[in-house]
Amino acid sequence: GDDAMEEDEGGEEDASMAVVLHEDKKYYPDAEDVYPDAQTMVQEEDTQPLDKPIIAPIRTKHFDHVEKKTPVTPYTAQYLADVSSNPELIRNVCIAGHLHSGKTTLMDCLVRQTHSFGSKLESEFEKKWDMCEDMRYLDTRIDEQQRKLGIKSMPMTLLLPNTKGKNYAVNWLDTPGHVNFIDEVAAAMRVSDGLLLVVDAVDGVQLNTERVVRLACSEGLPIVLCINKIDRLVLELKLPPQDAYFKLKNVIDEVNALVQQWGGVVGSCVGEEAGGELTPANGSVVLASSLFGFSFTVEQFATVYADTYRNFPAKELAARLWGDFWFDEASRKFKRTAPPGGGVRAFVHFVIEPLYKMFSQAVGEDPKELSACMSTLGISLNKKELTKDVKPLMRTIFSGFFGNHSGLVDCVSKLLPSPARASEPFVRLNYTGELNTEVALDAMKGTGEGPLMMQIVKLYHKPDCASFDAFGRIVSGTVKVGDTVSVLGEGYSLDDDEDMTVKTVTDLWLYEGRYRIPIDKASAGMLVLVGGIDDSIIKTATVAHNGVHTDEQCIFRPLQHPTRSVIKLALEPLNPSELPKMLDGLRKVNKSFPLLSTKVEESGEHLVLGTGELFLDCVMHDLRQMYSEIEIKTADPSVSFCETVVETSSLKCFAETPNKRNKITLISEPLEKGLAEDIEAGLISTSWDRKRQATFLQHKYDWDVLAARSVWAFGPESNGANVLVDDTLPSEVDKQLLGHVKDSVVQGFQWGTREGPLCDEPIRNVKFKILDATVDASPVHRGGGQIIPTARRVAYSAFLMATPRLMEPVFYVEIQAPADCITAIYTVLARRRGHVTADNPKPGSPLYNIKAYIPVVDSFGFETDLRTHTQGQAFCLQVFDHWAIVPGDPLDKSIVLRPLEPSPAPHLAR
């Protein structure tokens, strides 16, 4: 037994003493021992591409100012939503005017009245307001703040009291003032019921003021006026009080002349007939200084006197405060004629002089006397306020004296219609279907009970820039979160319902510029932001409940823009493999700008078309930074041309179809002057019946009865500036057979006019007449495949036989500059084929206003050039005005072009 034990011990000893090779040593347990169930995979090589980081950083897009926490308002969000559900208490107001007339700062005053953002340390708004700096709360994009001008129209719903303390839910739409962004104004006006026109007291009516008034008149919106920056009359121009009155009167007269010229409507109370004019006497003019935070109407000022002296009604005094009224101190009566010594007008005496005194007190008095003086007006100033700089001090004094902006709310709530009143004219003007159908009649009532009808006019990008929220106006009916709706695009009609998608409403918000208030349901008259329906919308859309009245539901007409996109920019991605990203970006940026259009040339080149250099600069910023996030190369900007004729075809042109069985004969000639513009403006339309068309053409353009009754089509679109007329006689041509191929001929004509024979640009201002036609009796031989290309070919030959010419777009330029710059301006314009049409001094200011025309081709860089030559004193704005014929014959063979030479290297920098 002992031996056996010894052997065992020896065996154990041998096991521990055994030689273990280096590679077999096992210091730690294997993974299989520790995790017996785990599966181990060995990958041969790194499958993740080298340009992708192993852990990608989280990138957040930051292009907008957004409130981190919802500001405090004196009303709850629920109360605001409840008031908004009553159409009688809503006012939808578009604020528009010229660049830098103070639209956004006027909105700042209203934001100040209704919002509290916390302490000065945590809120930029409070800090800037206290220092009297520009906040521009509704310029929500960071690039808008950097450029110091608005790019997008921005809605904001506020609950504001009038002078009697009654609250209204006012949907303000703050629009850009730069003339390049007039498309944003058109979108805002479509959903508004009235226009608050903001005009600078010093500059008066300018280029964009005219455009805005014209647009409002075409949309049928009533207008009220706000003359802003009246402090400039005192502090900059230093006008005597009497002159300040005449300057204000001059501005009001200019605006009235504009409104009458374009047949506009001035805001009027319920029950009054429209047709008055803008005047402070009826409350349709508000005077304001958004820098110093005050606005008032004459009646509001009269109320201050009535409250102080308490023995007369404010309305009676207000009626005598504007116009030719003089106050006779001796008899204490108002007179219609000036007293013998030439007294002071009532407005100057009671309104302007007290304002001037307050300005001079604030600027010149020492703090003690100022404090005593202000306490007589009921304004108490503490020590800290008295030691402020002049600007913040004046803001404190004036906002204390005038209190809140109830005069402005009075003007808007009394003189502009509520959605309940405005729905009928809105539907009559904008609905494309029959007005006697049930859908249209319900929409005209504008109540929350009928079927849903909503027009979407704009898309606002979400913070991630990947998708959009749709902004629009509910014309009638009610929409709730979770509803299934039909989204009808611009191409939808009862015959062709391809442009229709069914979506679910995921969110509804009231849009407040820098924050949003979520709501569960929205009813007629409200302006809301809708989530979840943006996929199929490109520019505008009509939204209705799915499956309700689908057999008679039509759309609201797309936006009518007062200008055109004529500047082209060709794009390509720096890295060709990123083309899909660029196309996706183009699709998004096309949704974001109402007047941008994108197209692909036959050469495969991608083009964007815009209204001006600033517009395209903003488009390229959005495309590069926000939507595609890639490097994009652009070519030099170019211009879209048109082709036209200046004489009648020198001989009849005919073409036969490929099967030699049909023959069409055409001639072309220029259209009558003005007809092309009338067709584009929609003053005549192919949807009218024959008789109405004929009457228009006979009376206005002296067409003969036969021609006027046989207009076949306009081209290239239904409102294109070319006309196709059937001038054949029943004795020579079988009209019935010709009628069978009418559609094909029209298609050929529209194809031909879309891309002309000279350089593939659209044809314009040409009338094509069909003189003769031989059509085969058998339908097999006269199909579209035979007729359409033939009609296009014969249109081309008739066009080329009629002395063709190119047309180029021309900008109208308005320049403001001091008198000593005028010669420099003439020189710069002359170098660019421009010419001045007028140069007038601006009344009451040291500037001149110069009006000129410049071809768009030569306008690139004009603004920079102008500033260089005038040491930065001239300021110009350009807007498309008309088409002009390019001098020279495009078919002239005697002109020899120099062969292309390579450019020197320094010239190729981009």
Side-chain angles (χ1 to χ4, degrees):
D2 292 345
D3 291 349
M5 277 180 74
E6 274 174 22
E7 262 181 41
D8 270 1
E9 283 168 9
E12 279 176 20
E13 222 167 279
D14 288 351
S16 61
M17 296 294 290
V19 177
V20 179
L21 290 176
H22 164 68
E23 54 263 31
D24 292 340
K25 274 188 182 164
K26 190 169 176 184
Y27 294 107
Y28 302 105
D30 283 347
E32 285 91 347
D33 301 344
V34 182
Y35 305 109
D37 303 332
Q39 180 184 2
T40 309
M41 288 166 67
V42 179
Q43 297 230 326
E44 291 306 307
E45 61 182 80
D46 192 359
T47 52
Q48 189 166 349
L50 286 172
D51 54 359
K52 287 266 170 62
I54 295 174
I55 298 173
I58 298 171
R59 292 184 55 218
T60 53
K61 294 191 175 182
H62 182 52
F63 295 106
D64 299 273
H65 292 286
V66 180
E67 290 292 349
K68 294 187 176 65
K69 62 178 189 188
T70 310
V72 180
T73 52
Y75 46 83
T76 62
Q78 185 57 46
Y79 182 59
L80 177 63
D82 290 347
V83 175
S84 298
S85 61
N86 178 355
E88 290 293 343
L89 296 178
I90 302 177
R91 296 291 180 274
N92 296 324
V93 186
C94 172
I95 302 186
H98 190 73
L99 182 65
H100 296 323
S101 55
K103 299 174 292 299
T104 310
T105 47
L106 186 66
M107 279 303 301
D108 280 353
C109 298
L110 297 171
V111 172
R112 166 75 291 171
Q113 183 185 323
T114 50
H115 287 65
S116 155
F117 295 91
S119 71
K120 282 175 214 161
L121 291 173
E122 56 187 355
S123 162
E124 188 191 11
F125 187 95
E126 299 288 346
K127 187 167 131 202
K128 286 195 168 179
W129 182 269
D130 195 55
M131 299 297 292
C132 199
E133 289 174 24
D134 257 0
M135 174 66 206
R136 305 199 313 284
Y137 189 74
L138 285 188
D139 285 352
T140 57
R141 290 166 47 128
I142 290 170
D143 59 336
E144 286 181 324
Q145 291 283 354
Q146 286 166 346
R147 288 179 194 272
K148 292 201 174 356
L149 62 90
I151 295 170
K152 297 281 179 207
S153 54
M154 195 43 76
M156 189 160 197
T157 305
L158 299 174
L159 198 67
L160 295 164
N162 66 4
T163 36
K164 292 187 179 132
K166 182 178 179 183
N167 282 319
Y168 288 92
V170 189
N171 295 309
W172 300 101
L173 286 132
D174 179 36
T175 59
H178 196 286
V179 70
N180 274 4
F181 301 107
I182 190 98
D183 54 342
E184 295 282 338
V185 184
M189 278 196 191
R190 173 57 62 85
V191 293
S192 305
D193 299 322
L195 167 69
L196 176 66
L197 182 68
V198 182
V199 177
D200 185 326
V202 175
D203 295 338
V205 168
Q206 287 177 285
L207 171 65
N208 209 33
T209 320
E210 290 179 34
R211 297 264 153 177
V212 162
V213 170
R214 216 160 123 185
L215 188 57
C217 297
S218 70
E219 290 279 351
L221 295 186
I223 300 171
V224 290
L225 173 65
C226 171
I227 299 181
N228 199 358
K229 302 193 179 183
I230 55 173
D231 55 280
R232 289 183 67 190
L233 302 176
V234 191
L235 303 173
E236 276 181 39
L237 297 185
K238 302 185 173 61
L239 294 179
Q242 192 74 21
D243 291 5
Y245 166 79
F246 285 118
K247 176 68 181 157
L248 291 172
K249 188 172 184 308
N250 176 39
V251 171
I252 294 171
D253 292 346
E254 277 186 319
V255 175
N256 274 320
L258 254 191
V259 174
Q260 275 160 3
Q261 181 188 347
W262 299 109
V265 202
V266 171
S268 59
C269 298
V270 186
E272 276 182 25
E273 57 183 70
E277 54 175 29
L278 294 162
T279 158
N282 65 6
S284 56
V285 177
V286 180
L287 300 172
S289 159
S290 47
L291 175 66
F292 296 127
F294 72 89
S295 68
F296 65 91
T297 57
V298 171
E299 193 174 324
Q300 193 182 354
F301 217 100
T303 314
V304 176
Y305 284 110
D307 291 349
T308 312
Y309 297 109
R310 296 177 186 268
N311 56 356
F312 58 87
K315 224 177 174 86
E316 293 297 314
L317 175 60
R320 292 168 178 78
L321 275 189
W322 179 260
D324 297 332
F325 285 100
W326 282 262
F327 182 62
D328 184 5
E329 294 274 353
S331 64
R332 301 190 68 72
K333 287 204 171 87
F334 287 93
K335 303 241 170 115
R336 284 273 184 179
T337 50
V344 182
R345 268 188 170 76
F347 185 76
V348 178
H349 182 71
F350 287 102
V351 179
I352 296 187
E353 284 182 354
L355 279 177
Y356 269 56
K357 284 173 187 163
M358 285 170 71
F359 273 116
S360 54
Q361 290 281 343
V363 174
E365 286 292 342
D366 76 77
K368 274 183 191 165
E369 288 183 22
L370 179 64
S371 177
C373 172
M374 286 301 138
S375 59
T376 59
L377 294 175
I379 304 168
S380 59
L381 297 171
N382 58 32
K383 272 188 182 168
K384 192 175 178 194
E385 285 170 336
L386 284 167
T387 53
K388 280 182 177 176
D389 279 353
V390 170
K391 266 189 183 173
L393 176 63
M394 282 156 109
R395 180 175 269 188
T396 309
I397 290 172
F398 280 106
S399 48
F401 179 70
F402 286 103
N404 61 16
H405 298 267
S406 54
L408 176 61
V409 181
D410 262 349
C411 166
V412 166
S413 61
K414 275 186 198 163
L415 302 178
L416 299 182
S418 66
R421 257 172 76 200
S423 290
E424 187 174 339
F426 175 86
V427 174
R428 285 190 186 283
L429 185 67
N430 297 316
Y431 188 60
T432 54
E434 291 292 325
L435 291 175
N436 53 10
T437 55
E438 198 181 325
V439 179
L441 293 170
D442 276 332
M444 280 191 217
K445 288 177 196 157
T447 60
E449 272 74 70
L452 174 69
M453 283 280 275
M454 178 176 182
Q455 183 169 22
I456 299 291
V457 290
K458 259 192 75 55
L459 296 163
Y460 289 100
H461 64 87
K462 287 187 171 159
D464 63 352
C465 299
S467 60
F468 293 84
D469 296 315
F471 177 76
R473 169 192 180 136
I474 302 177
V475 182
S476 70
T478 304
V479 64
K480 296 187 183 73
V481 175
D483 281 2
T484 307
V485 293
S486 309
V487 181
L488 317 175
E490 290 182 4
Y492 176 86
S493 66
L494 291 175
D495 317 323
D496 172 19
D497 60 357
E498 187 185 349
D499 195 358
M500 177 186 114
T501 52
V502 176
K503 298 277 178 197
T504 304
V505 175
T506 56
D507 299 280
L508 286 170
W509 296 279
L510 290 177
Y511 203 5
E512 302 285 349
R514 298 194 179 190
Y515 67 100
R516 300 170 175 192
I517 298 175
I519 51 177
D520 302 328
K521 65 169 189 174
S523 57
M526 292 173 71
L527 303 187
V528 287
L529 200 61
V530 187
I533 62 169
D534 62 289
D535 283 356
S536 61
I537 306 174
I538 297 173
K539 303 285 188 196
T540 66
T542 304
V543 176
H545 273 138
N546 190 27
V548 182
H549 294 302
T550 38
D551 49 340
E552 51 184 42
Q553 175 82 56
C554 290
I555 60 167
F556 292 111
R557 69 191 172 116
L559 299 175
Q560 309 290 102
H561 293 292
T563 181
R564 324 189 82 179
S565 296
V566 287
I567 300 186
K568 288 201 270 199
L569 206 55
L571 316 173
E572 60 175 338
L574 193 64
N575 178 357
S577 66
E578 293 182 320
L579 183 66
K581 275 188 187 172
M582 187 182 91
L583 294 184
D584 184 49
L586 276 174
R587 226 168 277 124
K588 286 176 183 164
V589 86
N590 189 25
K591 287 180 164 202
S592 173
F593 289 85
L595 199 52
L596 182 74
S597 55
T598 56
K599 67 178 192 184
V600 185
E601 290 284 330
E602 284 185 2
S603 59
E605 190 173 51
H606 292 273
L607 297 180
V608 292
L609 285 95
T611 52
E613 292 183 62
L614 178 68
F615 182 91
L616 284 169
D617 192 40
C618 295
V619 167
M620 291 312 299
H621 165 274
D622 286 10
L623 182 58
R624 287 180 172 132
Q625 316 279 335
M626 289 164 69
Y627 298 123
S628 63
E629 299 183 77
I630 55 170
E631 280 297 314
I632 293 175
K633 288 192 292 187
T634 60
D636 282 340
S638 67
V639 168
S640 50
F641 288 90
C642 278
E643 307 177 15
T644 189
V645 300
V646 289
E647 291 167 15
T648 308
S649 300
S650 49
L651 46 126
K652 291 183 188 176
C653 303
F654 72 89
E656 288 185 325
T657 51
N659 63 11
K660 302 278 184 283
R661 287 169 185 262
N662 310 282
K663 182 168 128 185
I664 306 173
T665 309
L666 268 189
I667 60 163
S668 67
E669 62 185 41
L671 272 181
E672 286 76 2
K673 192 174 164 65
L675 180 52
E677 286 75 18
D678 278 358
I679 297 173
E680 286 178 330
L683 298 180
I684 174 173
S685 152
T686 38
S687 59
W688 293 3
D689 55 40
R690 283 282 169 88
K691 197 171 176 191
R692 189 177 168 194
Q693 264 182 15
T695 329
F696 180 86
L697 292 167
Q698 279 167 266
H699 288 312
K700 195 163 177 188
Y701 293 105
D702 292 339
W703 282 34
D704 60 70
V705 183
L706 180 67
R709 292 208 163 197
S710 44
V711 172
W712 267 15
F714 299 144
E717 281 90 29
S718 58
N719 62 343
N722 304 288
V723 183
L724 177 63
V725 180
D726 170 19
D727 232 11
T728 56
L729 297 170
S731 52
E732 297 169 7
V733 173
D734 184 341
K735 287 281 195 177
Q736 198 176 356
L737 281 175
L738 185 59
H740 286 312
V741 295
K742 174 179 172 179
D743 286 349
S744 302
V745 174
V746 167
Q747 269 180 295
F749 152 77
Q750 291 191 325
W751 180 17
T753 50
R754 192 173 300 120
E755 7 185 279
L758 295 176
C759 55
D760 278 349
E761 293 284 6
I763 292 177
R764 180 183 172 77
N765 212 28
V766 182
K767 183 201 293 180
F768 291 94
K769 289 182 176 174
I770 305 173
L771 296 185
D772 189 16
T774 318
V775 182
D776 195 282
S778 139
V780 181
H781 298 305
R782 53 162 201 250
Q786 296 285 339
I787 304 283
I788 295 174
T790 308
R792 172 177 177 241
R793 231 174 33 245
V794 70
Y796 278 179
S797 47
F799 179 87
L800 291 169
M801 289 281 87
T803 327
R805 289 281 184 270
L806 271 182
M807 292 182 100
E808 63 178 350
V810 176
F811 272 161
Y812 166 70
V813 191
E814 203 168 273
I815 306 169
Q816 280 182 305
D820 56 349
C821 298
I822 291 181
T823 44
I825 293 170
Y826 274 84
T827 320
V828 174
L829 274 164
R831 276 215 306 259
R832 294 171 173 265
R833 290 194 297 139
H835 63 275
V836 175
T837 56
D839 62 341
N840 308 315
K842 258 258 171 257
S845 80
L847 298 174
Y848 268 73
N849 219 3
I850 297 156
K851 300 176 177 180
Y853 288 116
I854 182 170
V856 179
V857 179
D858 294 305
S859 76
F860 303 127
F862 169 69
E863 197 168 342
T864 316
D865 208 9
L866 187 68
R867 289 197 181 141
T868 314
H869 283 82
T870 58
Q871 291 86 39
Q873 294 179 78
F875 177 72
C876 78
L877 285 169
Q878 309 162 345
V879 59
F880 169 76
D881 189 83
H882 63 274
W883 295 92
I885 289 176
V886 179
D889 179 4
L891 301 179
D892 187 354
K893 288 201 178 73
S894 63
I895 295 172
V896 181
L897 292 175
R898 286 173 53 197
L900 294 175
E901 300 165 359
S903 283
H907 293 191
L908 297 175
R910 245 303 129 39

